[in-house]
Amino acid sequence: MTEQTLDSATATTPSGFLRVIDLRGQHLSWNELRHAVPRQTASSVAEAEASVRSIIENVQTNGAAAIREYAQKFDGVDQGRIKVDPAEIQKAVAELDPAVRKGLETAIDRTRRFAKAQRPADVEVEIAPGAVLNHRWTPVKRAGLYIPGGLAVYPSSVIMNVVPAQAAGVESVVLCTPPQKDFGGLPHPVILAAAGLLEVDEVWAIGGAQSLAAMAYGLTDGQDELEPVNTVTGPGNIFVAMAKRQLRSIVGVDAEAGTTEIAIIADDSADARFVAADLISQAEHDPDAGSVLITDSLEFAQAVEAELAPQVAEAKHQERIGIALRGPQSGVVLTDNLDRSIEVADAYAAEHLEIHTENAREVAGRVRNAGAIFIGSYSPVPLGDYAAGSNHVLPTGGTAVFNSGLHAASFMKAVQVIEYSRDALAELEDDIVALATSEDLPAHGRAVTIRSEASGREG
């Protein structure tokens, strides 16, 4: 594996944003590919792990006092009441810009229709006469949803978390989102308005890892009580993702949706303007965001580089975009052919994967690992971020290898129900006794034979 810039690869390009990982002519294993693709640095993960552990312990021990401490430290807010008055939520709805309200309502409608269709069906099977098994899905009773509010405002994340929870049938939903200094310690009013449109009236002004700890362990602040939840979900930075990892034994969590990332598989048929814009769109989120181009065409990679300079220069958040694009978590991966590009994409396991190739749908069907796949030139990631109807809370950091994005079943659990008749149990008696004896658990077998003896006496 060689690492260079596009300048050194061949002809000079004007911007020099993306480093290059050149895999051409190499035959790396899947594990080697996992280590070759761009990632956040290990040191940043280790630092987050220690910091989050301290935050969780502080919230568990000191409760509301710890929350106020972090509001001052991280948000610059001298916090009064932590829970948001429901009247503030209704006020935010009343004052919401009509155009923004229309956009939110459109997103709610499409996301709700898709979420309802995702509900898994119960299954009942009679595997023998009198032997009935049922796989029954039940929603959790209470869900805690985290909505980020650092460098940007995410009312869309309110929709993405609340709608699948409601579609699942969750009885009680609580939102946590950071307090904002510009709004007197309240969350951003558009966040509150989105909650109001979804009829959520329990919102707490708590950000970051501390909010997940508060939802997992519960919190009392005067007359206000945040009851512990069964499941916590929501996107966030690396600290939020680490909090989920550390709280897994206390509460259910969704995928570790940390700092955002995009990967794009492209060939020389793609439009460099579109690809550059899409890489920038995710870099806009955070200086640690990952933007990765996977291509078998050096010429196309150079064309994308050439497009980045003017597009970044026109962007409102060009400083953070530039940091993200030049970071170790971003870059161009050069491959020998499309097959290798797909292998690299599977090894990277992107949160968002765009396919800009000929026969894009067929290529997408060959990808195993991704949080969400966006097919073709007119399905950019921001479509899924806002109004496609899909969910934008997706696994990051390579966890799409084993995790899924947020959906209705994320707020549900399966219960197995077993119902056997006397005759159906008797048919299995010898098998159960034999297996119980082989495991030296004779009381297990006795729990069956005592029933057959009772049945004999009754007969």
Side-chain angles (χ1 to χ4, degrees), residues 72-407:
Q72 181 64 57
K73 178 178 179 180
F74 298 129
D75 306 301
V77 171
D78 186 9
Q79 199 164 30
R81 186 181 181 187
I82 302 173
K83 185 178 181 182
V84 176
D85 189 328
E88 294 289 349
I89 299 173
Q90 294 309 311
K91 178 183 176 185
V93 172
E95 297 177 353
L96 183 61
D97 180 286
V100 176
R101 178 167 185 157
K102 180 179 180 298
L104 289 173
E105 289 175 339
T106 298
I108 289 169
D109 175 63
R110 294 195 177 202
T111 306
R112 182 167 282 152
R113 280 189 278 160
F114 192 40
K116 286 182 178 179
Q118 294 168 351
R119 274 190 64 113
D122 292 350
V123 176
E124 182 173 290
V125 180
E126 185 175 23
I127 60 174
V132 179
L133 300 178
N134 190 294
H135 191 76
R136 188 181 74 203
W137 287 92
T138 62
V140 299
K141 184 175 181 180
R142 181 164 164 81
L145 316 177
Y146 178 64
I147 311 302
L151 295 175
V153 180
Y154 298 105
S156 56
S157 289
V158 178
I159 297 169
M160 301 298 173
N161 283 268
V162 172
V163 167
Q166 291 176 336
V170 175
E171 292 181 18
S172 175
V173 169
V174 55
L175 290 184
C176 281
T177 189
Q180 303 286 327
K181 186 176 182 179
D182 291 344
F183 300 101
L186 289 170
H188 195 284
V190 182
I191 297 289
L192 295 181
L197 290 174
L198 289 159
E199 299 183 351
V200 174
D201 60 6
E202 185 181 356
V203 179
W204 293 70
I206 313 175
Q210 58 271 28
S211 75
L212 274 69
M215 290 188 284
Y217 290 107
L219 183 74
T220 300
D221 182 36
Q223 299 299 310
D224 297 325
E225 183 176 1
L226 196 171
E227 295 183 4
V229 302
N230 307 119
T231 294
V232 293
T233 71
N237 58 20
I238 190 173
F239 296 96
V240 171
M242 189 59 64
K244 290 181 181 180
R245 187 176 301 180
Q246 294 183 18
L247 290 167
R248 281 184 182 274
S249 63
I250 306 300
V251 68
V253 303
D254 64 333
E256 294 179 8
T259 307
T260 192
E261 63 199 23
I262 181 176
I264 300 176
I265 297 177
D267 60 19
D268 58 11
S269 71
D271 190 315
R273 298 168 301 166
F274 296 172
V275 170
D278 295 352
L279 293 170
I280 289 169
S281 73
Q282 296 309 294
E284 182 178 39
H285 277 281
D286 191 290
D288 291 324
S291 294
V292 177
L293 170 62
I294 305 167
T295 182
D296 58 1
S297 171
L298 174 61
E299 292 74 17
F300 179 76
Q302 291 175 320
V304 171
E305 268 286 345
E307 282 290 336
L308 287 174
Q311 290 195 34
V312 171
E314 294 173 356
K316 177 179 180 180
H317 303 295
Q318 60 181 266
E319 181 177 358
R320 87 172 71 130
I321 291 169
I323 293 172
L325 293 177
R326 293 187 175 97
Q329 74 279 8
S330 298
V332 175
V333 181
L334 291 176
T335 67
D336 288 311
N337 51 52
L338 181 58
D339 289 343
R340 293 298 286 172
S341 291
I342 294 171
E343 290 176 10
V344 170
D346 266 339
Y348 184 68
E351 175 191 19
H352 309 98
L353 177 66
E354 291 187 0
I355 311 292
H356 291 249
T357 65
E358 294 181 351
N359 303 314
R361 176 175 287 193
E362 186 273 333
V363 172
R366 295 169 59 191
V367 173
R368 180 186 297 270
N369 302 322
I373 301 175
F374 299 78
I375 298 175
S377 298
Y378 296 95
S379 302
V381 167
L383 176 67
D385 284 343
Y386 295 113
S390 57
N391 202 292
H392 77 200
V393 183
L394 302 165
T396 63
T399 60
V401 168
F402 54 84
N403 262 334
S404 305
L406 197 65
H407 55 289

